[in-house]
Amino acid sequence: MEKTKIRVALAGNPNVGKSTLFNQLTGLNQHTGNWPGKTVEKKVGYVEKDSTLIEITDLPGTYSLTAHSIEEVVAREFIIKEKPDITVVVLDASALERNLYLLLQIMELSSNVIVVLNMLDILKEKKYKLDTEKLQQKLGVPVISTIASKGIGIDNLVEKIIDVYKNKNLNPMKIEYPELEDTLKKIEALLPEKIEEYPKRWAAIKLLEGDPLIVELCKKYEGWEEIKKIVEKKEENPVKVASARYSLIKNILKDVLEKPTNQVITWTDRLDDILTHRIWGLPIAILIIFSIFYFTYSLKEAISTPWDNFLGLIGLGLNNLFSFLPEWLKNLLIGGIWQGVANVLSFTPLIVIFFFFLALLEDTGYLARLAFVTDRIMHILGLHGKAFIPLVMSFGCNVPGVMATRTLENEKDRLLLIMVNSFIPCVPRILVASFFLSIFFPKYAPILLLVLYLISFLSIMISGRILQRRVLKTSFSPLLMELPLYKLPNIKIVSLYVWDKLKSFLVRAGTVMVILSGITWILSHIPSGNIENSILANIGKTLMPLFSPLGFNWQLTTGLISGFVAKEASLSTLGSIYGASGNALGKLLLKDLSPITAFSFLVFQLLYIPCAATIATIYKETNSLKWTLITIFYSLTYAYLFTLIIHTGITLLVR
Amino acid sequence: MIEKVLEYIKNHEIVDIKKLKKDLNVSNEEWDLILLQLQDLGFIIEKGSSNQCNQCAYSKICSQGCLKSETLFLLLPPKD
C-alpha cells in the first residue's frame, strides 16, 4: 500500500532550536544540498509513522519574510511556490514578540500552520508565565510545546501534523490592518485574479510596505499606475503596516504572557543615571578627561627625568661604541639619528601613562558613553553625532580616524568629517605640544593643553559650520547606540592594550624616525657642514618671510616642514638643528624663543596640514585629488590665519 | 509604538537604547520586535562594532592605532 505523503516546511527564527527539532524528527533519514541557484543549504528529511510519510524541508532561519536577504527570499518563495501541506513554525518561547512577527507573516501566506513552542526552559528561567492554551485559541492554530534538545514533545508534533493534514480543522486568526483595510481593498480590486502564486491580499500588503520584488512584479499589470498613486499617496503606509502588526502581537500576548513586573536595576543603570545625565554628564566627562591629563603629566614628570638620564647614558654608550668611526659618520649616527630617535623615545613615559588611562576608560565601558554625552557638542561643532567615534580615533592617529568616517552613509557628511578630522590633535602632535609646554609653561602645562584641545574643537566648530552650511550643505540623521555594561577593568586587557600602542610607537621610532632623523641631519650638514648654510636651513629661510608674522624663526619653520612627514619629526628635526635632545634641547629653545612664539608654534602645528600618511588616506577614502588638495589648502590657510590672530592678539595684549 | 519610537529617535538625534526602553516603557523583547520592524522597513541599519585597525592599510606604521569601539550603531538613513 502506498503511503500518504505529507509535505512539511519547518520555519523559524535563527537560533530557536529549529535544526535540533529537525534532527530529532528525522534522525539520520535526511539529505542536504543547496537551494536551486542559491548558496543557501537545503535540508530535507523524512519521518515515517504508520501509513504516513512526512517529508520535512528545513527552511533557512529568518526573522522575517521581507526579502532583504537570500534566506528570506528562499523561505518565502518555498511557502508561496511549493505550497507545503503544513508549515511548522518554531518559536522561541522566551522571545515571543519577535518570533510572532515571523509567524504572522507566514500565516498571511498559508493557513495550514502548526506552532511549536521551543525553549520553554529559558522561559521558566526568566520567570515568565505562558498560557499555551490561550495562545492556541487566539492564533486559531495548534500550539505544541517542545524541548527539542531533550526530544520532549516530538511525538505530539508528528501526531498533530497527521491530524491537521487529515482533518483540515484549522481556523487561523485573520490578520487585519484596521487603518489600512479600505486602502487594501482598493489595491486588491486593481490587481488581477492571479499574481503568479502570490495571494492577492498578501501582495496588496507588500505593495503598501514597498516590497521591491512585489512592486517590480506588479508593474506589468494594467492597474499599476492607479495602484502606484494609492501606495504613494501616504508615506506613512509602511509604518502603519508595522504598527498594526506590533499592536496585534501585543494584543495576542496581553492575556497570554505574564512577566515579572519588578525590573532589576543594575549598577550600570545607576552609574548611567549620573554619568550620562543630560546636565551632569558633560561636566563629569570634562572632569574625567582633565583628570587624565593632570595625572598623565604628574606621573610623567616623576618618570621623565630618570628616563631622560637613561637615554643619555645610551647616547654616551653609543658614542663610546662608535669612537672608531670617522667623525662625520659618528656625528650622523649619534648627533643625527640617535638624537632624533632619543627625542621621540623621551615620550615613552607619556605614551604609557596616557594609553593606560585610555585603556581604563575603554575597558570600563565609559569611552562608549563619551559618544553619547558629547553628542550635543558634536552638533554645536556642526558635525553629525556619529562623528564622535572617528574623532575619538583621531586622538590616537588621524589615519584610522579618516578611515572610520566610513560609518557615515552620506558622502557629504563623510567629506565634512574628513576635512575637519585633521584638526583633532593626534598623540604625536600632543607629544610635541607637551614638550614645549613643559619647557615654556611648566606650571600651567595641563591647563594650556586643555586650551589647545579647546582651540582644536573651536576650529572644528568654525570649519564644521562653514563647510556644512556653505560648501557641502549637509543634514544629519540620528544614531542609536547599545552601550556596553560597566565592568571592572581587566589588568591583562589593559596591559595588552598599552603594550600594543607602545610597541607600534617603538617600531615607528626605530624605523621611520631613524630614516627621517638621518635625512634631516644630512640636509642640515650639507654642503658645508655648517647648519646655518645647509640645504635645510635654506629651505626654512626661504619660507621665513611667510612665517615671520607668526613669530617663527627658520629653525621652527624647518621643523614644521619635516612635521609634514610625521608630526613628531618636527621635534627630532629641531633636535638635529640644535644638536641636542630632551632637557638640553628645551634649554636651547628657551633661550631662542619667546613664550608667545612657542605657544603660536603649538597652535600652528596643532592645526596645519595633516601628516603624509593621513593625506594618503584622505585621497584613498575620497578617491578625489580635488578634495584632497582642498583639505590641505583649507587646513593650511585656516592654521595660518588662526595662528596669526592668536599671535598678534597675545602680543598686543602683553604690550 | 513604532511611531512613538521613530518620533523619539528623531527628537533625540543620539539615542541610548537602554534609556529609550526606559522612557517609552518598552521591554527587551518588545524592543527586539521594534528593532526588527524598523530594520524591515529599511529605516535603520545595523552597523555593529568594529576595530578599524584590522582594515587599515597603515596599521603597521601607525604608532597609535584605533580605539576599539564596543558600541552597536544603528543608523537611520537620511530621508531626502
Side-chain angles (χ1 to χ4, degrees), chain A residues 89 92 99 199 217 232 243 250 260 288 295 323 357 385 434 493 504 509 577 616:
Chain A
V89 186
D92 174 355
N99 283 255
L217 188 70
E232 287 177 353
S243 287
K250 281 278 280 182
I288 289 173
F295 286 121
S323 55
F357 284 120
S434 57
I493 291 174
S504 314
I577 293 172

Side-chain angles (χ1 to χ4, degrees), chain A residues 20-262:
Chain A
T20 314
L21 183 70
F22 177 77
N23 290 333
Q24 287 282 6
L25 281 165
T26 60
L28 293 172
N29 198 6
Q30 55 173 274
H31 58 86
T32 55
N34 271 9
W35 290 91
K38 308 276 192 313
T39 51
V40 181
E41 191 184 61
K42 180 183 185 180
K43 284 202 282 187
V44 180
Y46 299 90
V47 185
E48 284 187 57
K49 174 92 177 172
D50 304 328
S51 59
T52 312
L53 175 71
I54 307 172
E55 182 190 83
I56 303 175
T57 305
D58 188 15
L59 300 179
T62 60
Y63 292 108
S64 148
L65 294 181
T66 315
H68 280 322
S69 65
I70 303 172
E71 286 80 6
E72 287 174 0
V73 173
V74 165
R76 181 164 113 176
E77 297 298 293
F78 185 84
I79 295 169
I80 293 169
K81 292 184 177 166
E82 299 295 325
K83 294 191 180 8
D85 300 313
I86 293 164
T87 304
V88 173
V89 186
V90 187
L91 307 185
D92 174 355
S94 67
L96 275 176
E97 284 83 350
R98 193 178 58 194
N99 283 255
L100 283 178
Y101 183 62
L102 177 70
L103 175 70
L104 294 186
Q105 291 187 49
I106 291 173
M107 284 174 72
E108 282 179 326
L109 286 172
S110 167
S111 49
N112 294 327
V113 170
I114 294 175
V115 170
V116 167
L117 277 178
N118 202 20
M119 298 180 144
L120 287 159
D121 40 348
I122 296 172
L123 183 92
K124 277 182 191 162
E125 268 176 37
K126 284 184 168 178
K127 296 191 169 55
Y128 290 4
K129 283 180 190 164
L130 180 67
D131 189 334
T132 45
E133 200 56 45
K134 250 186 198 169
L135 181 64
Q136 185 166 282
Q137 282 170 17
K138 287 206 170 194
L139 293 172
V141 296
V143 175
I144 309 287
S145 299
T146 64
I147 301 177
S149 56
K150 293 175 184 168
I152 297 170
I154 305 297
D155 291 340
N156 278 350
L157 176 61
V158 173
E159 279 165 21
K160 188 53 78 180
I161 290 171
I162 297 168
D163 175 52
V164 168
Y165 179 78
K166 281 183 182 165
N167 300 317
K168 305 215 169 12
N169 50 358
L170 302 184
N171 183 24
M173 67 181 289
K174 193 163 187 272
I175 296 156
E176 289 182 331
Y177 299 85
E179 286 186 58
L180 296 166
E181 285 302 327
D182 289 343
T183 316
L184 283 171
K185 275 180 193 137
K186 278 182 201 166
I187 298 173
E188 279 183 72
L190 290 162
L191 285 169
E193 269 318 301
K194 267 190 88 79
I195 312 151
E196 297 188 356
E197 292 90 350
Y198 300 101
K200 209 166 160 181
R201 180 179 166 83
W202 181 84
I205 296 164
K206 287 286 147 193
L207 285 171
L208 283 184
E209 283 185 289
D211 185 296
L213 287 182
I214 304 301
V215 167
E216 206 52 45
L217 188 70
C218 292
K219 274 182 182 171
K220 62 184 176 199
Y221 298 128
E222 209 174 282
W224 171 245
E225 284 306 317
E226 199 64 32
I227 293 171
K228 203 174 146 191
K229 276 181 201 162
I230 298 171
V231 171
E232 287 177 353
K233 198 175 172 185
K234 287 189 176 170
E235 282 177 8
E236 69 269 26
N237 279 338
V239 178
K240 281 188 176 170
V241 173
S243 287
R245 285 193 187 131
Y246 181 85
S247 302
L248 191 59
I249 292 168
K250 281 278 280 182
N251 272 332
I252 293 169
L253 294 177
K254 194 173 65 184
D255 310 318
V256 170
L257 189 66
E258 202 181 300
K259 294 178 183 179
T261 46
N262 54 327

Side-chain angles (χ1 to χ4, degrees), chain A residues 64 66 68 97 101 128 242-243 250 272 362 375 386 392 396 409 477-479 481 497 501 616-617, chain B residues 1 3 13-18 29-30 37 40 58 61-62 64 66-68 71-76:
Chain A
S64 148
T66 315
H68 280 322
E97 284 83 350
Y101 183 62
Y128 290 4
S243 287
K250 281 278 280 182
D272 268 345
E362 161 118 34
D375 176 66
K386 280 177 277 179
V392 165
E409 290 78 24
S477 56
L479 159 74
M481 294 179 77
Y497 185 92
K501 305 299 167 196
T617 313
Chain B
M1 183 54 77
E3 288 100 331
E13 298 293 343
I14 187 163
V15 178
D16 171 6
I17 292 171
K18 191 153 55 70
E29 292 84 2
E30 283 166 356
Q37 290 194 286
D40 247 8
Y58 300 95
I61 56 158
C62 166
Q64 315 312 328
C66 310
L67 299 174
K68 190 180 72 198
T71 52
L72 172 78
F73 292 102
L74 298 155
L75 311 166
L76 197 71

Side-chain angles (χ1 to χ4, degrees), chain B residues 23-51:
Chain B
D23 290 351
L24 298 182
N25 196 21
V26 173
S27 69
N28 290 336
E29 292 84 2
E30 283 166 356
W31 172 250
D32 286 345
L33 171 63
I34 292 165
L35 196 60
L36 177 60
Q37 290 194 286
L38 291 177
Q39 281 176 301
D40 247 8
L41 289 169
F43 284 6
I44 58 176
I45 50 165
E46 187 177 331
K47 296 304 283 184
S49 58
S50 61
N51 189 345

Side-chain angles (χ1 to χ4, degrees), chain A residues 303-315:
Chain A
I303 302 170
S304 63
T305 308
W307 178 251
D308 279 350
N309 291 341
F310 172 69
L311 291 175
L313 281 176
I314 295 178

